[in-house]
Amino acid sequence: MPKKIQIQIPPQQHEDPVQWRKRAARQLGVNPNQITQLRLRRRSLDARKRNAIRYQLQLEVWVDEIPEPETAWELPLQNVSNASEVHVVGLGPAGLFAALKLIEQGLKPVVIERGKAVRDRRRDLATLNREGIVNPESNYCFGEGGAGTFSDGKLYTRSKKRGDVQRVLDILVQFGATEEILIDNHPHIGTNRLPKIIEKMRETIIECGGEVHFNSRLSGLEIEGGELKGIEINGHEKWPVKALILATGHSARDIFYLLQQEKVQIDPKPFALGLRVEHPQSLIDQIQYNCGIERPDGLPASNYALVQQVDGKGVYSFCMCPGGIICPASTSPDEVVVNGWSPALRNTGYANSGIVVELRLEDFMKSGDPLAGMLFQQKFERQAQLAGGGKQVAPASRLHDFVRDKVSSTLPDCSYLPGIAAVDMAEVLPKFIRRRLQTGFNQFGHKLKGYLTNEAVVVGVESRTSSPVSIPRDAESLEHPGVKGLFPCGEGAGYAGGIVSAAMDGERVGEAVWRAFVK
């Protein structure tokens, strides 16, 4: 039987199995030659003591015995060409994992995606970044893989009670992710690698007999007597359905309007709104690692997580992207929305993060309209577009200038490709959010010495932190309480917040649909 141990090791040695063996032997009191096998099970970086940064490695160690070979885990799939159909709207993480779960359970997924396949989607993103032209159906939010495909690929989640995190990671490895995501404390695939994994998942769905329809937008629902009977696609195609998994993501505003129009219950939901801040990565490294301009060997681009209570509301970092870029996440030409992502190597030279203020229902619910939060988002996204001057140019300010209510005379280099313009950020954000951000940044500057600097730039607006709407569902059946056959799913329905939690929710809903079919 293997012995399970934990060792600490300097960063420059953390990928050296010879050093692992030496330290494991010393800890176990055996000769290194007696160790017949080492397997790395968990890896995390401990940078709390900046003068003694260490990796923590969890190892399985075999002494004087030969371990059984490991067998790769595989998702048990089957041919469902002639099985009962279940329609899935949205090919993001929730929709993809729901479709795979349906196949596993012997049902045929018919997936409807408003956007394009990954390769075609790339062209639209290139046009968006180069020319500032937004395709409302193909952008950083819509298309194969959803928002996560080209917006980072972080796999960390706190939602461990919602499903099996390990299973989601195992499935991603089966479809091409590196096994490092199984051992890293904060796993990350990278925007440059994730598209190939998504493509392979889609190809597998089709090979198993499922269907995937791109450029197919849900435009209507046929509901009779509280039961879903059919759907309309692209304004004219009528499809009968028995069950519909609605996994459209947090930015599909037309779907929220459609549900409201069809008198399907939806509810307002709290979310957060703010700006994205970008520093030179070398500066964040100096702050976090207590190093010089050059980061020491063996250390990754550093990150941070910040939170501060300001006048009764949380101000916090969101989707921090070390070695990343700021990207245009708008879904309409008349708005500016920013997000961030990192390539697998996290080597761009920039570090960015959303810094946002939590919003409660009373902050935007001036009437009984369940879409009030969405309209609040939209208002400030449009103000950002007007302030930037058009073509997805984003309003911006040097960080210290923003805190002092000063319009910057110049701006530093920024990774946001459509361009930035120095503006008075009072034109972009409401006062109650702006003041809390300013106080928050001041406090963050005390926590991380050097963080509050004019070398950094804030760019607006960061508004798509989560869905401003929730779609209710029964706690057991996961079916909408007012529409039989409708299964809300994932981030757009209010049940997830990121790739892994959306994937887990997709699996849960896929299994719930199967239970409904076998009753």
Side-chain angles (χ1 to χ4, degrees), residues 90-111:
L91 197 59
L96 278 166
F97 277 77
L100 290 170
K101 190 67 176 180
L102 291 170
I103 292 171
E104 187 180 349
Q105 304 281 12
L107 296 171
K108 177 180 177 178
V110 178
V111 186

Side-chain angles (χ1 to χ4, degrees), residues 403-417:
V403 169
R404 294 181 297 170
D405 275 329
K406 180 182 176 183
V407 178
S408 299
S409 57
T410 63
L411 293 172
D413 290 339
C414 179
S415 65
Y416 182 76
L417 293 177

